[in-house]
Amino acid sequence: METHKVSLKEKIGYGFGDAASSMFWKLFTMYLMFFYTDIFGISAVVVGTMFLITRIWDAIFDPFVGILGDRTQTRWGKFRPYLLWMMIPFGIFGVLMFSTPNLSESGKIAYAYITYSLMMMIYSLINVPYASLLGVMTDNGKERTSLATYRMTFAFGGSLLVLGAAEPLVDLFSKMGNSGVNLAAGWQYAAVVFAIIAVILFYLCFRWTKERIKPVVEKTSLKDDFKDLWHNRPWFILLGAGISVIFFNSIRDGAAIYYFKYYVTVQEAFQINSFNMTISLSSLYFVLGQAANIVGVLLTIPVSNRMGKKGTFLVAMIIATVLNVWFYYVDRSNVSLIFVLQFFISLCAGITLPLIWSMYADASDYSEWKTKRRATGLVFSASSMSQKFGWTIGGALTGWLLGYYGFQANMVQTEFAQNGIRMMLSYFPAIGTILGVLFMLIYPLGEKKMAEIGACLKVEREKLEDNNNA
């Protein structure tokens, strides 16, 4: 039974899906806190609390999306249809989140809660099924790692586009009116550009991918699915590792723009006079990080083929821990070293993310091997849950820590506040990398074990196909 062949076009199409998601994910992680405090006009503590309240519900919502996907039956498959159904709402609410209506402070807070909550639910409805596709496109472990690598390469490519273009587009659009600089309009129009691109990419992902893997037992009860998940130890370990990695990334990402605006203080890198556009140091910092992420993703396959997925993850997180701590001691005037550390920390992060996506597929196979039942969507909901919980913790802490250290938007910061911002790019992210190491140390599914599981499942699936053809 040849179920593992995946064409180059299909891998690219699969990558397009995460390029679309990642454009807005980077807008959220890098700029949303800053947008709410410095453009929209609500306090960092309010934003941090909103992130905590809304994201906890949103993360809990993800397994139900996975369950829904497992029970969806269409001519396009279980998971692909959600790309088609959700792409337009995704684009619309992505723009609404970066819009600034003329409301009172309480009205703005209510607007932020509503648009943010709905956008995160829509994100789940498109991203959980998208992630689940990896588990049903192929049953070959190396092909899954290859798909995960394409996914993350395109994800970082989408992120690179946003981080390279967001601030220049905002700068460009904010100067287009006749009433001076309007940053609120600049952010809204920039979000429109990214929304259009995302919708197109989601559609191409839907068109170019295919679902192949059929479970050994097609129909299962919801009770059985949750019972199987409860006994899936690798799933819980990956959930913890995923939360740790996203926390490490999100707290660094969320604090970076504050670091350059309020600690380094020199923002402008250079100008493009022909377009009346300014390129900031923070934009270059973000672009360099995404470029390093892509390099890390490309290194994932050759390194993991030699060291295994688990060993590669551990080494990358240990190196990231050391570099994060070092970042605290870099002087604000040493921009070159700031950028060097950003490159290598981001490279380590880029290596780990494809490994986790590939391991989720392994955890799904492990569950099917143990129980003779498969719940791909529910298992892969861990990927989105880890993103949401990691970002919940990192985002909420970013807002609360800014408040604790006395941050005041658009003002010169105290030395205490500046030190807090530095901590959010160094010691606090290192907590996430250390936790990631601890979780991965107890992860049980190595290459040898997965080869044994894969061989057993292949026999069962061949029997299923023979019975269906009889």
Side-chain angles (χ1 to χ4, degrees):
M1 182 177 62
E2 294 294 327
T3 60
H4 60 270
K5 299 294 183 183
V6 182
S7 69
L8 176 61
K9 178 181 177 181
E10 191 171 0
K11 290 177 181 178
I12 291 172
Y14 186 67
F16 280 159
D18 215 19
S21 291
S22 292
M23 285 195 301
F24 274 90
W25 186 259
K26 277 302 171 187
L27 279 175
F28 302 155
T29 57
M30 297 292 198
Y31 292 116
L32 191 57
M33 172 71 76
F34 175 80
F35 172 79
Y36 280 140
T37 59
D38 287 41
I39 309 299
F40 195 75
I42 54 180
S43 76
V45 173
V46 168
V47 179
T49 302
M50 182 187 77
F51 283 171
L52 179 67
I53 293 172
T54 57
R55 288 177 190 168
I56 287 177
W57 153 247
D58 187 44
I60 295 171
F61 181 64
D62 288 344
F64 293 97
V65 177
I67 291 166
L68 183 64
D70 283 329
R71 284 157 176 76
T72 298
Q73 297 288 347
T74 74
R75 61 191 176 96
W76 299 309
K78 291 177 174 291
F79 306 117
R80 287 174 60 235
Y82 289 91
L83 300 171
L84 185 65
W85 297 336
M86 291 292 117
M87 63 185 187
I88 299 297
F90 185 98
I92 290 172
F93 277 90
V95 173
L96 290 177
M97 279 186 62
F98 284 92
S99 299
T100 307
N102 186 18
L103 299 171
S104 65
E105 183 179 359
S106 59
K108 285 185 175 182
I109 292 172
Y111 178 88
Y113 267 86
I114 292 168
T115 54
Y116 179 78
S117 298
L118 289 174
M119 178 59 185
M120 289 297 99
M121 290 177 70
I122 292 167
Y123 186 93
S124 295
L125 284 166
I126 202 167
N127 203 256
V128 171
Y130 167 76
S132 303
L133 267 177
L134 181 62
V136 296
M137 290 173 68
T138 177
D139 59 359
N140 182 279
K142 289 188 176 180
E143 281 287 270
R144 283 175 172 173
T145 302
S146 178
L147 274 171
T149 299
Y150 271 84
R151 172 185 182 170
M152 297 313 304
T153 301
F154 277 86
F156 289 131
S159 299
L160 190 62
L161 172 64
V162 166
L163 298 177
E167 291 183 58
L169 283 176
V170 170
D171 185 58
L172 178 66
F173 288 133
S174 65
K175 298 173 182 176
M176 291 180 66
N178 297 321
S179 57
V181 176
N182 186 342
L183 288 174
W187 278 102
Q188 184 182 47
Y189 294 140
V192 169
V193 172
F194 297 128
I196 292 171
I197 297 171
V199 169
I200 294 170
L201 292 175
F202 277 133
Y203 180 73
L204 290 175
C205 180
F206 165 77
R207 291 286 297 177
W208 290 4
T209 55
K210 182 179 179 181
E211 297 185 23
R212 295 177 179 83
I213 303 301
K214 300 292 183 182
V216 174
V217 176
E218 187 71 34
K219 294 181 179 180
T220 63
S221 69
L222 185 59
K223 179 181 177 181
D224 286 337
D225 286 352
F226 275 109
K227 182 180 178 181
D228 295 345
L229 191 64
W230 181 253
H231 292 95
N232 191 335
R233 181 168 170 261
W235 184 87
F236 282 101
I237 294 171
L238 288 175
L239 179 62
I243 290 171
S244 302
V245 170
I246 298 299
F247 167 78
F248 142 64
N249 280 310
S250 66
I251 197 166
R252 287 186 76 246
D253 291 350
I257 195 165
Y258 295 99
Y259 181 81
F260 282 95
K261 182 175 180 179
Y262 297 109
Y263 177 67
V264 177
T265 68
V266 179
Q267 290 182 272
E268 184 177 316
F270 60 88
Q271 285 189 319
I272 303 176
N273 294 324
S274 57
F275 291 97
N276 192 26
M277 188 182 293
T278 300
I279 305 299
S280 65
L281 279 175
S282 56
S283 286
L284 293 179
Y285 175 89
F286 292 149
V287 168
L288 177 66
Q290 292 308 295
N293 283 153
I294 293 172
V295 173
V297 168
L298 295 175
L299 288 173
T300 301
I301 291 178
V303 175
S304 63
N305 283 344
R306 295 177 68 89
M307 299 177 58
K309 297 176 187 178
K310 179 175 178 176
T312 302
F313 184 98
L314 286 170
V315 170
M317 284 293 93
I318 290 170
I319 294 172
T321 302
V322 174
L323 297 180
N324 270 304
V325 172
W326 186 6
F327 199 97
Y328 178 81
Y329 299 97
V330 180
D331 188 81
R332 75 184 79 195
S333 63
N334 197 346
V335 175
S336 297
L337 184 54
I338 290 171
F339 276 55
V340 168
L341 289 177
Q342 163 70 343
F343 179 86
F344 285 105
I345 292 171
S346 300
L347 186 148
C348 291
I351 288 176
T352 60
L353 292 173
L355 295 174
I356 291 180
W357 297 120
S358 181
M359 289 173 180
Y360 285 134
D362 293 343
S364 181
D365 283 352
Y366 170 83
S367 179
E368 185 178 3
W369 171 68
K370 280 194 70 175
T371 66
K372 306 304 180 187
R373 294 183 296 269
R374 187 177 186 89
T376 306
L378 184 57
V379 169
F380 267 85
S381 68
S383 63
S384 186
M385 282 179 65
S386 65
Q387 277 190 311
K388 303 291 180 57
F389 274 125
W391 191 30
T392 295
I393 299 167
L397 275 177
T398 299
W400 293 341
L401 287 169
L402 286 170
Y404 171 77
Y405 285 110
F407 167 80
Q408 296 291 324
N410 299 309
M411 295 179 63
V412 175
Q413 304 303 313
T414 64
E415 184 177 346
F416 186 59
Q418 290 180 342
N419 184 64
I421 292 169
R422 292 167 62 204
M423 291 283 289
M424 285 187 274
L425 272 91
S426 54
Y427 278 100
F428 290 125
I431 294 172
T433 56
I434 291 170
L435 287 173
V437 168
L438 295 177
F439 278 113
M440 197 51 59
L441 284 172
I442 59 173
Y443 180 71
L445 300 181
E447 274 63 28
K448 184 177 179 180
K449 183 66 175 179
M450 286 312 304
E452 174 190 335
I453 290 172
C456 292
L457 288 178
K458 183 177 181 181
V459 171
E460 294 296 327
R461 288 167 181 159
E462 287 174 346
K463 288 180 182 177
L464 176 65
E465 184 171 307
D466 290 342
N467 291 335
N468 291 336
N469 293 332

